[in-house]
Amino acid sequence: MPLVHTAALVTEARREGFGLGAFNVITLEHAEAIVAGAEAAGRPVILQISENAVKFHHGRLDVIARASQAVAAGASVPVALHLDHVESEALWRQAAGLGFGSVMVDYSKLPYDENLRLTTGAVEDLQAEGLYVESELGKVGGKEGEAPLSAHAPGARTDPGEAAAYVAATGVDALAVAVGSSHAMTSRDAALDHELIARIAAAVPVPLVLHGSSGVPDEELARAVKGGMVKINIGTALNIAFTGAVRAHLEADPKVVDPRKYIKDARAAMAATVEHFLGVLG
Ligand code: G3H
Ligand code: ZN
């Protein structure tokens, strides 16, 4: 099945009322595992590559993007490619040429006016190239390299009225909102503000995106989808599965040297995690 456009998957998920899982790719094995998990669940999926993952690959987007594209092209379920949490203009300008259907430009750490100005400019250029654009209003927090911010800090959460004005002014296609989740949580005990989700969903016309979903319990995720969340971003949960499987393998077999032996376990553990989350998202 060929790579599909993000817009098609988001539109379908919104219409049918299921949560569209978007999982972070760091290594080739992440991409393979995400697609394997989606195939096992029989669900479409998004492979997303973040600016931080590109930094890990020595600043090269093309290598991991082309590998992910090839994995997607061999999938038996629809798969889209998304470039995530991008601050660098030089990076988002590469997206159209590398098979991405969407980009999240992330100026959420800047003051509102600056976020609005930079996002509006990016939306214009990216949409002209056929890309679907997501951006963030409010502060989900917890991103690598960021000062810690509580999801409950004053001003961290997205204001529905401001969100409506921001979407109208910027023209973004999807909006990431701060509603109680936080990035990189290794425990699953984030409490979402469902009343706020409902108010934002009623105020803005575009699909909503939940970031930091690894820390959100299953029942909270399912409820968030029912309340209007469409794209559900999951990263850390895969890394917990990956590292846990490698650690278990190395402890059980301290003499192992062939990385295929333990990375195979890591890939299988990530695939099982993806299948589980996609089941939860409906
Ligand atoms: O954009 C990616 C996500 O928000 C992932 O967050 O690693 O906390 O699941 P997470
Ligand atoms: Zn995120």
Side-chain angles (χ1 to χ4, degrees):
M1 181 166 295
L3 194 67
V4 300
H5 199 285
T6 308
L9 294 190
V10 175
T11 304
E12 184 198 1
R14 198 182 197 193
R15 192 184 56 233
E16 306 292 329
F18 66 86
L20 177 61
F23 296 88
N24 284 72
V25 173
I26 300 177
T27 67
L28 165 63
E29 288 75 16
H30 282 71
E32 291 175 327
I34 295 163
V35 166
E39 287 176 336
R43 313 298 299 169
V45 79
I46 293 179
L47 298 178
Q48 57 189 15
I49 300 169
S50 72
E51 185 168 307
N52 280 333
V54 174
K55 285 181 187 152
F56 168 72
H57 290 290
H58 309 292
R60 292 276 303 265
L61 173 62
D62 57 341
V63 179
I64 189 68
R66 290 203 169 99
S68 300
Q69 219 182 330
V71 172
S76 62
V77 292
V79 182
L81 206 55
H82 171 81
L83 187 58
D84 203 33
H85 283 297
V86 186
E87 295 175 24
S88 153
E89 179 175 340
L91 189 56
W92 58 251
R93 289 207 179 276
Q94 295 174 45
L98 288 170
F100 288 87
S102 53
V103 176
M104 178 209 193
V105 287
D106 185 0
Y107 299 117
S108 61
K109 60 168 102 130
L110 299 176
Y112 178 85
D113 288 349
E114 271 296 273
N115 180 346
L116 188 132
R117 187 180 67 79
L118 291 169
T119 302
T120 306
V123 165
E124 207 170 288
D125 289 4
L126 288 165
Q127 285 179 347
E129 293 188 294
L131 287 150
Y132 184 89
V133 187
E134 172 187 336
S135 72
E136 178 175 323
L137 185 66
K139 292 180 177 60
V140 176
K143 276 168 265 182
E144 200 186 317
E146 256 185 18
L149 171 83
S150 164
H152 310 291
R157 301 224 173 152
T158 307
D159 174 77
E162 198 170 66
Y166 175 88
V167 167
T170 58
V172 288
D173 299 296
L175 186 68
V177 290
V179 291
S181 60
S182 184
H183 286 100
M185 285 178 67
T186 51
S187 59
R188 296 195 66 198
D189 53 7
L192 299 182
D193 186 338
H194 295 283
E195 195 256 337
L196 180 59
I197 293 172
R199 284 170 55 219
I200 301 171
V204 307
V206 298
L208 301 181
V209 184
L210 184 66
H211 282 248
S213 308
S214 294
V216 182
D218 287 350
E219 54 285 4
E220 285 278 286
L221 282 178
R223 194 172 158 199
V225 170
K226 285 201 182 79
M229 285 292 174
V230 179
K231 177 171 174 273
I232 309 295
N233 285 14
I234 300 160
T236 303
L238 299 193
N239 300 332
I240 292 170
F242 183 118
T243 307
V246 171
R247 191 173 283 126
H249 192 113
L250 297 182
E251 274 169 13
D253 183 5
K255 289 201 162 53
V256 68
V257 289
D258 184 340
R260 284 171 295 193
K261 299 264 197 290
Y262 50 88
I263 291 180
K264 194 173 167 195
D265 290 1
R267 189 172 54 189
M270 289 192 287
T273 302
V274 169
E275 185 181 359
H276 171 80
F277 272 99
L278 292 178
V280 169
L281 299 181

